[in-house]
Amino acid sequence: MMAALSEFRVLRPASAVDAVRLRGEHPASRFIAGGTDLVPNLRRGLVSTDIVIDLGNVGEMREVQRSGDTLRLGAGVTLATLAADPTVRASLPALAQAALCVAGPTHRTAATLGGNLCLETRCQYFNQSESWRQGNNYCMKLAGDTCRVAPKSSRCYAAFSGDVAPALLALGAEVELLGPQGIRRLPLAELYVDDGMRWLALGADELLFAVTVPLVAGRVSGYEKLRMRGAIDFPLAGVAAALTRDGEAIGELRIACTGVSSRPEFVGGLDALAGQPLDAAAFATIERQIKRTIQPMETTTVSVPYRRRATPVLAKRLVGRLWDEAKRR
């Protein structure tokens, strides 16, 4: 049973610049948009704060703008909006499918793009009640000094489990981070750090402001998710892929995974497949590179070997489906 929320003040800036200013004045504060992850974590005592900065009135963060071959998505756009947007559905189906996979319908009407990209890492030893964690002497991520997943490790292995990040990685997205000095841009992959306690490369006074995604002609994409139930659940493993096809040869293939490391992982080493057929050798390369990339640990109730075997299977099925889809276009 969840405890009652602790008391905190709510500040409601009217602009993103004002939000960043307030964060600078209150370094221990938390940004909140949909609150679908933060509020339950506050109730469980997994995070704490005296001040919450509500981004709900920052309209500039809820804009979807197309400029030529680029789509710019405000970090405050809801997942329901993403899943239904005609341009996203037509040109970035992996993103639409990933957004539609998150939680349930009511969650998606509140949950935001930025919130899912910055989702707290998760672990079966961390995402528990206070009494459970206390009885197990806590863990490194909160109040303890040992990672229960890897007791001899000096770092936390809690897993990143957001759905939209791998889709955007596969699609080559960049992020805009707003700080006191203005906007800085970087590839989405550089937003993440392979550490369950410090998984975001955001400055203490920075706000994830927007995401830009290239619209590539002829590219097909998709997202597949492995979970215990058909809805609500976080991914045990998630795979996004984007590819172009040049006749019977691969033009480009990009794959990213979630739920299997402390950050969403872009799978490297697939450039060599360009110009090659999608045959048994190509599928073997895909499996090998995924296994080299992911690092599933004992963060869920499903075994590590199962997730390690299932992730490349999920990817190969997805790539095969997209290959056939590209041929029909």
Side-chain angles (χ1 to χ4, degrees):
M1 185 174 180
M2 288 190 181
L5 276 172
S6 57
E7 291 189 5
F8 52 79
R9 280 200 299 148
V10 179
L11 305 179
R12 293 187 171 89
S15 70
V17 169
D18 196 28
V20 169
R21 177 186 60 78
L22 290 172
R23 181 62 178 267
E25 294 174 359
H26 307 282
S29 62
R30 292 268 182 164
F31 288 126
I32 189 170
T36 56
D37 191 51
L38 179 61
V39 173
N41 287 345
L42 285 168
R43 284 188 180 277
R44 287 184 171 183
L46 300 178
V47 297
S48 62
T49 184
D50 293 328
I51 296 176
V52 167
I53 301 173
D54 183 3
L55 302 172
N57 292 331
V58 184
E60 62 196 296
M61 292 182 65
R62 296 195 300 272
E63 296 175 352
V64 177
Q65 301 170 323
R66 179 170 182 170
S67 178
D69 58 359
T70 300
L71 190 66
R72 185 176 181 277
L73 306 165
V77 173
T78 68
L79 299 181
T81 298
L82 277 182
D85 184 89
T87 302
V88 175
R89 289 169 62 91
S91 300
L92 307 169
L95 179 56
Q97 292 164 19
L100 195 59
C101 278
V102 177
T106 53
H107 297 90
R108 294 191 292 270
T109 61
T112 63
L113 171 61
N116 200 255
L117 288 175
C118 297
L119 194 71
E120 180 86 34
T121 55
R122 317 190 79 76
C123 177
Q124 63 177 336
Y125 296 96
F126 173 72
N127 290 86
Q128 303 286 350
S129 66
E130 166 64 19
S131 59
W132 190 99
R133 287 180 286 114
Q134 183 180 32
N136 285 273
N137 202 25
Y138 299 100
C139 71
M140 180 185 291
K141 192 165 165 64
L142 181 64
D145 57 9
T146 302
C147 176
R148 300 300 173 193
V149 170
K152 295 182 179 180
S153 173
S154 60
R155 54 155 287 196
C156 167
Y157 279 91
F160 179 84
S161 300
D163 288 290
V164 299
L168 288 168
L169 284 174
L171 293 166
E174 295 186 347
V175 292
E176 297 179 7
L177 308 180
L178 178 63
Q181 308 307 315
I183 293 282
R184 71 179 176 111
R185 296 174 175 83
L186 68 160
L188 176 60
E190 295 181 17
L191 178 65
Y192 297 104
V193 180
D194 192 19
D195 187 327
M197 291 177 65
R198 292 168 287 273
W199 68 101
L200 293 173
L202 272 170
D205 53 0
E206 284 187 314
L207 169 67
L208 176 56
F209 184 56
V211 179
T212 57
V213 196
L215 302 174
V216 179
R219 174 188 276 176
V220 294
S221 66
Y223 177 70
E224 295 285 350
K225 176 177 179 176
L226 180 68
R227 52 186 167 180
M228 298 295 289
R229 298 175 293 183
I232 304 297
D233 287 358
F234 289 97
L236 301 170
V239 176
L243 68 83
T244 58
R245 179 169 176 164
D246 185 9
E248 293 304 312
I250 298 168
E252 181 188 36
L253 176 60
R254 297 170 60 90
I255 296 176
C257 305
T258 189
V260 286
S261 298
S262 292
R263 63 183 175 190
E265 297 281 13
F266 180 75
V267 179
L270 300 181
D271 291 346
L273 295 178
Q276 304 298 315
L278 186 66
D279 54 13
F283 280 121
T285 297
I286 292 170
E287 179 167 356
R288 181 173 62 252
Q289 293 305 120
I290 288 176
K291 286 184 174 180
R292 285 178 177 175
T293 301
I294 65 175
Q295 194 175 27
M297 300 290 283
E298 192 186 347
T299 53
T300 76
T301 55
V302 178
S303 73
V304 171
Y306 173 78
R307 290 159 73 203
R308 185 167 179 79
R309 289 195 300 268
T311 305
V313 171
L314 204 63
K316 289 188 289 185
R317 288 177 180 172
L318 174 58
V319 170
R321 174 172 66 80
L322 294 175
W323 182 253
D324 293 339
E325 181 181 331
K327 184 176 183 178
R328 292 193 297 269
R329 287 196 169 192

